[in-house]
Amino acid sequence: MADPGNATLLVASNRGPLSFTETDDGSLRASRGGGGLVSGLSGLSNSDTQQIVWVCAALSDGDRAAARKAPDGRLDGDGHDTGGLAVRMLDIDQATFHRAYNSIANATLWFVHHLLYAIPTSPSFDAGFRREWSSYESYNRAFAEALAAEAAPDAKVLVQDYHLTLVPRLLRDLRPDLRIAHFSHTPWAPVDYFRLLPADVARDTLLGMLGADHVGFHSPRWARAFADCCREVLGAETEDDRVTYGGRATHLGIHPLGVDAESLRERAREHDVESRVAALRRRLEDRMAIVRVDRTELSKNIGRGLLAYRELLRRYPEWRGKVTHLASAYPSRHDLPEYREYTAHVQRLAAEIEDEFGTDDWRPIVLDVTDDYPRSLALYRVGDVLLVNPVRDGMNLVAKEVPVLSENGCVVVLSTEAGVADEFGDDALLVNPFDISGTADALHTALSMPADERQQRCRRLAAVAGALPPARWLADQVDAI
Amino acid sequence: MADPGNATLLVASNRGPLSFTETDDGSLRASRGGGGLVSGLSGLSNSDTQQIVWVCAALSDGDRAAARKAPDGRLDGDGHDTGGLAVRMLDIDQATFHRAYNSIANATLWFVHHLLYAIPTSPSFDAGFRREWSSYESYNRAFAEALAAEAAPDAKVLVQDYHLTLVPRLLRDLRPDLRIAHFSHTPWAPVDYFRLLPADVARDTLLGMLGADHVGFHSPRWARAFADCCREVLGAETEDDRVTYGGRATHLGIHPLGVDAESLRERAREHDVESRVAALRRRLEDRMAIVRVDRTELSKNIGRGLLAYRELLRRYPEWRGKVTHLASAYPSRHDLPEYREYTAHVQRLAAEIEDEFGTDDWRPIVLDVTDDYPRSLALYRVGDVLLVNPVRDGMNLVAKEVPVLSENGCVVVLSTEAGVADEFGDDALLVNPFDISGTADALHTALSMPADERQQRCRRLAAVAGALPPARWLADQVDAI
């Protein structure tokens, strides 16, 4: 067992709550990110006895410079605002990080859990994959070792997401005294798809997770899929709320992350959002707005959303000139060729719709591919219909943020394959994300819905969305271990 | 209820046992196909009381001309050798047939059951798909009506495959007196993948199948997947061997089709095969032969097979110059663009391997893309290692034919995702078809295996392969209803 540290609560995630950029004079400027999780942790850190450390990877040159300058690897004493938390940033060899983060986490595990492969030709788990997988193991081991060094006896550790599936087991081997939770922000693959992975990789991934005392998901569906994999691949015993393997039980927890409605509303009243709302209203005139806001991510299904909008305009011509589709698809993972091609595909489809239906007086679609958070919030406020149609999605927080901010009682057209669909049920208009015709029909129904029904649905959705804000989401998991 | 006919046993399949070509003088020339099923049926037709009718679709101009010339739609009285069966060929409108056969059966249902979609962009079930689906319904209805017209009271009907999933229910509605069996020669999709289909299409497909008294599959895995879909999509009650829905029970049967070893051996001793065996032996000299024989079909995984062979030559250089990969990939479904691209992809990979390893004395790979059945049989005879690595396959008969014909005790390197893997178990070398490195290792193990072990394994595989020849396979299903 490694020597204990003094942290009583630890969080581990690839991306931490701080990032650094090198300025022209060679100094480092810190900026805070991490959203609700940081505020949630800050709440917990107010308690005198709680010492919190967040372990994350250095992601940029600035991060790496900051990590090297920190004497004990911690970034709390360096004049940066870390929200009361100590941050330990791991300076992992760049080539190792690239293989672990891009090739394994984002181009393999993400693809497996979201069913994104074109099976006839990908994936191919060859000798190159073996090297990548070994880097993923090293990267996970670096986290486990840092956590083991920082954690006080019997401390609690919250491990985040598919980047760090091996950490719970590696950490338990180093420090059997710790209480370990893992949370997956993604879906979990059905067993027939999970089995694409080489047998030892599939096995090690599950065993890695089962090193935790508690394994959390956004939706019961993903927890069930995980249990199915443990049963079919490992031969584990499974019940609704636990998996037992090798004499140890791991509890399954459902923690559907919600939004902090009050702080979201405050942010959306700031000037930068107000000015964008005004600009959008001028553009819309008296037309209705179908909005969507997504990363340009293969799972988000932006292309089929556009096809559904095109079919709406073809089959329900009464909406021509009466509706505008405001689609925000901001860039993501452009280091992967699939993502660059996907962005081009989405832009081509938008241009086709413009060509088919646009007039001198009316642009049927406005596709924005820049990342502008205040503009996203403005879209949330003005939208009459929100389209959220991912092919598969762990939760989808946009679907929860919009009802909170909506001014007109926004109708949510929602994929059955998003985790949030379990909570929203029929207060949203549920669609099969592959069914273009069904989605077009749902858009028509949404646009045609009477104002009072829209508002009642939207109010109920907002209540669901605020049910488990980040601070409680986090506290629940801490309590669970 | 429709008026009964006089057939006591009926078979329905898209492709029938006869095909016709128009000759230069305007007459029609018939040729027989249908393989083991025809011989199997011929056996049953020897019984005096059994009147057998085979209902199929006209597939070519020649077929359509023959169908139109037959006075009652039956082709038995026209001087053609139908093996003692009456054949009723349906002259279905060509555009309807194209949409039903190509767009729905081969480009939708086949893709769903084999997990072949590139999910980020396909499938898209739009207004065009709705038209295609409606053609599939008409095509299925044409079969149901023909069967209803031909069948004697209480007759037995064997409906074949994914082209005709709606027939059992349509036929039961017309003729509740009939005993109906359906057999799927494909895998069945896992429920999370089956749900890609629009809700009503998924539902109608399952309800169509449940119109049968008996639903058969090659492997317990596919039967289980079908039952899962019935439970999750329809809310049906499921047990191991039956699905109950709406007060009716449908039995699930496992009928793993085997080969008629004796007739296969006879065919493989004919002159056209002998001469090809001799040519292959001259080409091989004293090198070992890794063989494969597949349709160029997206599910057959020919590309990853070539990648595994390349990794074998890279990581086990002792095999360079000592082994030749004889790969036969004959054309299939070249009306679908995915298939043309796939063929080009396979040819590129083969050329890369040739470039990387080929010498003046040694061609590492011989890729043959022509359809030459005697050459395939010759490959079966001379192969030292057979590679059968589909990403998903209902059964895979090549894996059963090779051990029967093998002269050297061929080692079978076999995908876990082929139905035949359930029967072969560890007498084959099982591989994950996505695991290139694992497949390369298995090829090395196979090439290195001592002669007596190879022969013992091969003998056991041949016994399994011959366990359920077509005639018995057919008789079992007739008995089951």
Side-chain angles (χ1 to χ4, degrees):
Chain A
M1 183 165 133
D3 288 338
N6 59 9
T8 53
L9 178 62
L10 300 95
V11 174
S13 67
N14 177 67
R15 181 179 298 276
L18 278 180
S19 64
F20 295 86
T21 38
E22 288 177 297
T23 57
D24 289 344
D25 66 1
S27 67
L28 292 168
R29 190 171 43 221
S31 52
R32 239 186 77 170
L37 204 51
V38 177
S39 347
L41 275 175
S42 301
L44 293 173
S45 75
N46 288 337
S47 127
D48 281 349
T49 55
Q50 197 75 290
Q51 292 255 3
I52 306 184
V53 170
W54 189 321
V55 177
C56 59
L59 303 180
S60 65
D61 289 343
D63 284 358
R64 275 182 284 272
R68 280 180 213 133
K69 280 166 74 174
D72 56 356
R74 286 196 185 178
L75 298 169
D76 53 342
D78 205 24
H80 303 299
D81 173 15
T82 57
L85 320 169
V87 176
R88 167 113 174 223
M89 217 174 234
L90 304 179
D91 179 20
I92 294 167
D93 165 71
Q94 277 195 60
T96 302
F97 179 80
H98 171 77
R99 287 191 292 261
Y101 177 73
N102 290 305
S103 305
I104 299 298
N106 286 344
T108 305
L109 298 178
W110 179 271
F111 272 54
V112 167
H113 291 313
H114 291 84
L115 318 182
L116 296 179
Y117 284 117
I119 292 291
T121 52
S122 72
S124 284
F125 299 117
D126 58 7
F129 170 82
R130 289 284 156 188
R131 198 163 50 241
E132 292 159 2
W133 180 253
S134 143
S135 292
Y136 183 77
E137 292 175 318
S138 306
Y139 159 94
N140 272 258
R141 194 169 301 113
F143 272 83
E145 285 168 358
L147 291 164
E150 295 283 355
D154 304 318
K156 295 182 171 185
V157 185
L158 304 176
V159 181
Q160 304 298 306
D161 232 356
Y162 60 100
H163 313 88
L164 301 177
T165 48
L166 307 182
V167 164
R169 186 189 185 196
L170 293 168
L171 181 55
R172 179 163 303 284
D173 287 346
L174 293 169
R175 290 286 306 273
D177 61 309
L178 303 180
R179 305 290 298 165
I180 307 170
H182 184 281
F183 190 86
S184 291
H185 295 264
T186 62
W188 195 268
V191 62
D192 277 42
Y193 208 88
F194 187 72
R195 279 202 161 123
L196 300 185
L197 292 170
D200 59 323
V201 169
R203 198 179 157 79
D204 287 352
T205 302
L206 296 172
L207 289 177
M209 300 271 288
L210 291 181
D213 300 291
H214 186 87
V215 167
F217 297 92
H218 283 309
S219 152
R221 274 189 281 179
W222 316 142
R224 210 153 45 228
F226 174 75
D228 288 347
C229 288
C230 290
R231 192 180 54 250
E232 302 289 325
V233 174
L234 299 177
E237 275 176 51
T238 59
E239 293 159 82
D240 275 357
D241 63 347
R242 85 182 64 195
V243 174
T244 308
Y245 184 74
R248 275 198 71 242
T250 298
H251 281 78
L252 304 177
I254 313 302
H255 307 279
L257 180 61
V259 300
D260 180 341
E262 202 31 62
S263 72
L264 185 65
R265 284 197 195 97
E266 261 173 47
R267 177 66 188 87
R269 277 192 295 263
E270 288 183 25
H271 177 72
D272 53 356
V273 180
E274 292 291 357
S275 67
R276 285 165 175 81
V277 166
L280 286 170
R281 293 216 184 286
R282 279 194 302 277
R283 176 192 280 277
L284 285 169
E285 298 172 354
D286 58 349
R287 295 189 184 95
M288 296 187 81
I290 299 175
V291 301
R292 74 174 302 147
V293 177
D294 297 284
R295 284 194 295 128
T296 308
E297 155 55 45
L298 298 179
S299 62
K300 296 296 184 185
N301 209 19
I302 303 168
R304 289 192 191 84
L306 296 179
L307 292 174
Y309 181 61
R310 182 170 75 183
E311 192 165 318
L312 171 81
L313 297 178
R314 284 180 180 170
R315 284 203 288 121
Y316 302 94
E318 61 267 38
W319 292 112
R320 295 181 198 164
K322 300 286 198 305
V323 65
T324 301
H325 188 11
L326 302 169
S328 172
Y330 56 89
S332 172
R333 298 189 188 165
H334 269 227
D335 43 331
L336 296 180
E338 290 96 329
Y339 285 75
R340 291 195 298 273
E341 283 160 27
Y342 188 69
T343 301
H345 163 72
V346 164
Q347 288 176 311
R348 262 196 318 274
L349 282 176
E352 282 174 29
I353 293 171
E354 189 63 40
D355 285 351
E356 183 171 349
F357 297 103
T359 64
D360 290 347
D361 302 324
W362 173 55
R363 287 191 61 190
I365 179 162
V366 182
L367 173 67
D368 192 322
V369 298
T370 57
D371 189 357
D372 180 348
Y373 184 59
R375 186 173 185 278
S376 295
L377 295 179
L379 288 170
Y380 294 1
R381 286 177 51 183
V382 307
D384 299 293
V385 176
L386 170 71
L387 179 56
V388 175
N389 66 327
V391 295
R392 201 171 167 90
D393 205 334
M395 166 55 75
N396 199 291
L397 279 175
V398 171
K400 288 190 166 177
E401 290 166 340
V402 168
V404 168
L405 295 186
S406 171
E407 295 176 1
N408 311 324
C410 187
V411 184
V412 180
V413 174
L414 179 63
S415 167
T416 53
E417 305 309 305
V420 64
D422 296 336
E423 294 179 89
F424 278 9
D426 288 337
D427 283 332
L429 299 181
L430 296 179
V431 295
N432 169 341
F434 305 97
D435 186 351
I436 307 296
S437 298
T439 307
D441 291 340
L443 290 174
H444 172 69
T445 304
L447 291 167
S448 312
M449 194 176 282
D452 55 342
E453 186 183 346
R454 307 159 58 86
Q455 272 150 15
Q456 283 165 24
R457 283 173 181 255
C458 189
R459 216 169 298 131
R460 291 195 294 266
L461 295 181
V464 171
L468 192 64
R472 271 203 44 216
W473 175 83
L474 199 67
D476 282 359
Q477 289 176 74
V478 172
D479 291 348
I481 51 174
Chain B
M1 185 166 133
D3 288 338
N6 60 10
T8 53
L9 178 62
L10 300 95
V11 174
S13 65
N14 177 68
R15 180 178 300 276
L18 278 182
S19 63
F20 295 86
T21 37
E22 287 177 298
T23 58
D24 290 344
D25 66 1
S27 68
L28 292 168
R29 190 171 43 220
S31 51
R32 237 186 79 169
L37 205 51
V38 178
S39 346
L41 274 175
S42 303
L44 293 174
S45 75
N46 289 340
S47 129
D48 282 348
T49 55
Q50 197 77 289
Q51 291 255 3
I52 306 185
V53 170
W54 189 321
V55 177
C56 58
L59 304 180
S60 64
D61 290 342
D63 284 358
R64 275 181 286 272
R68 279 179 215 134
K69 282 166 74 174
D72 56 356
R74 284 196 186 181
L75 297 169
D76 52 343
D78 204 24
H80 303 300
D81 173 17
T82 57
L85 319 169
V87 176
R88 166 115 174 223
M89 218 176 236
L90 304 179
D91 179 19
I92 293 167
D93 165 71
Q94 277 195 59
T96 302
F97 178 80
H98 171 77
R99 287 192 292 261
Y101 176 74
N102 290 304
S103 304
I104 299 298
N106 286 344
T108 304
L109 297 178
W110 179 271
F111 272 54
V112 167
H113 291 313
H114 291 85
L115 318 182
L116 296 179
Y117 285 117
I119 291 291
T121 52
S122 72
S124 284
F125 299 118
D126 59 7
F129 170 81
R130 289 285 156 186
R131 196 163 53 240
E132 291 158 3
W133 181 252
S134 144
S135 292
Y136 182 77
E137 291 174 318
S138 307
Y139 159 94
N140 272 258
R141 194 169 301 113
F143 273 83
E145 286 167 358
L147 291 164
E150 295 283 357
D154 305 317
K156 295 182 173 187
V157 185
L158 304 176
V159 182
Q160 303 300 305
D161 233 357
Y162 62 100
H163 314 88
L164 302 177
T165 49
L166 306 181
V167 164
R169 186 188 185 197
L170 294 167
L171 181 55
R172 180 162 303 283
D173 287 347
L174 293 169
R175 291 286 305 274
D177 61 309
L178 302 180
R179 305 290 299 165
I180 307 170
H182 185 282
F183 191 86
S184 291
H185 295 264
T186 62
W188 195 268
V191 62
D192 278 42
Y193 208 87
F194 187 72
R195 278 201 160 123
L196 300 185
L197 292 168
D200 59 322
V201 169
R203 196 178 158 80
D204 287 353
T205 303
L206 297 173
L207 289 177
M209 301 270 289
L210 291 181
D213 300 291
H214 186 88
V215 166
F217 297 92
H218 284 308
S219 152
R221 276 188 281 179
W222 317 141
R224 209 154 46 228
F226 174 74
D228 288 347
C229 287
C230 291
R231 192 179 55 249
E232 302 289 326
V233 173
L234 298 177
E237 276 176 51
T238 60
E239 293 160 83
D240 273 358
D241 62 347
R242 84 181 66 193
V243 174
T244 308
Y245 184 73
R248 275 196 72 243
T250 297
H251 281 78
L252 304 176
I254 311 302
H255 307 279
L257 180 62
V259 301
D260 180 342
E262 202 32 63
S263 73
L264 186 64
R265 284 197 195 98
E266 261 174 44
R267 177 66 188 88
R269 278 192 295 262
E270 286 182 27
H271 177 73
D272 53 358
V273 180
E274 291 291 357
S275 67
R276 286 164 175 79
V277 167
L280 286 171
R281 292 216 185 284
R282 278 195 301 278
R283 177 192 279 278
L284 284 168
E285 297 173 353
D286 58 350
R287 296 190 184 93
M288 296 186 81
I290 299 175
V291 301
R292 75 174 302 146
V293 177
D294 299 283
R295 285 194 295 128
T296 308
E297 155 54 47
L298 298 179
S299 62
K300 296 296 185 187
N301 210 19
I302 303 168
R304 288 193 192 84
L306 295 179
L307 292 175
Y309 182 61
R310 182 170 75 182
E311 193 165 317
L312 171 81
L313 297 178
R314 284 181 181 169
R315 285 203 288 120
Y316 301 95
E318 62 266 37
W319 293 113
R320 295 181 197 163
K322 301 285 198 308
V323 65
T324 302
H325 188 12
L326 302 169
S328 172
Y330 56 90
S332 172
R333 300 191 185 162
H334 270 227
D335 44 332
L336 296 180
E338 289 94 330
Y339 284 75
R340 291 194 298 272
E341 284 160 26
Y342 188 70
T343 301
H345 163 73
V346 163
Q347 288 176 312
R348 262 196 318 276
L349 281 176
E352 281 174 29
I353 293 171
E354 189 63 39
D355 285 352
E356 183 172 347
F357 298 103
T359 64
D360 290 346
D361 302 326
W362 175 54
R363 287 191 61 190
I365 179 160
V366 182
L367 173 67
D368 193 320
V369 298
T370 57
D371 189 357
D372 181 348
Y373 184 60
R375 185 172 186 278
S376 296
L377 294 178
L379 288 171
Y380 294 1
R381 286 177 51 182
V382 306
D384 299 291
V385 177
L386 170 70
L387 179 56
V388 175
N389 66 327
V391 296
R392 201 170 168 91
D393 204 334
M395 167 54 77
N396 198 292
L397 279 176
V398 172
K400 287 190 167 175
E401 289 166 341
V402 168
V404 168
L405 294 187
S406 171
E407 295 177 0
N408 310 325
C410 187
V411 185
V412 180
V413 173
L414 178 63
S415 168
T416 53
E417 305 309 304
V420 63
D422 297 336
E423 294 178 88
F424 277 9
D426 288 337
D427 283 332
L429 299 181
L430 296 179
V431 294
N432 168 341
F434 304 97
D435 187 351
I436 307 297
S437 299
T439 306
D441 291 340
L443 290 174
H444 172 69
T445 304
L447 291 167
S448 312
M449 194 178 282
D452 56 343
E453 185 182 346
R454 308 160 57 88
Q455 271 151 14
Q456 283 165 25
R457 281 174 182 256
C458 189
R459 215 170 298 129
R460 291 194 294 266
L461 294 182
V464 171
L468 191 64
R472 269 205 45 217
W473 175 83
L474 200 66
D476 282 359
Q477 290 175 74
V478 173
D479 291 347
I481 50 174

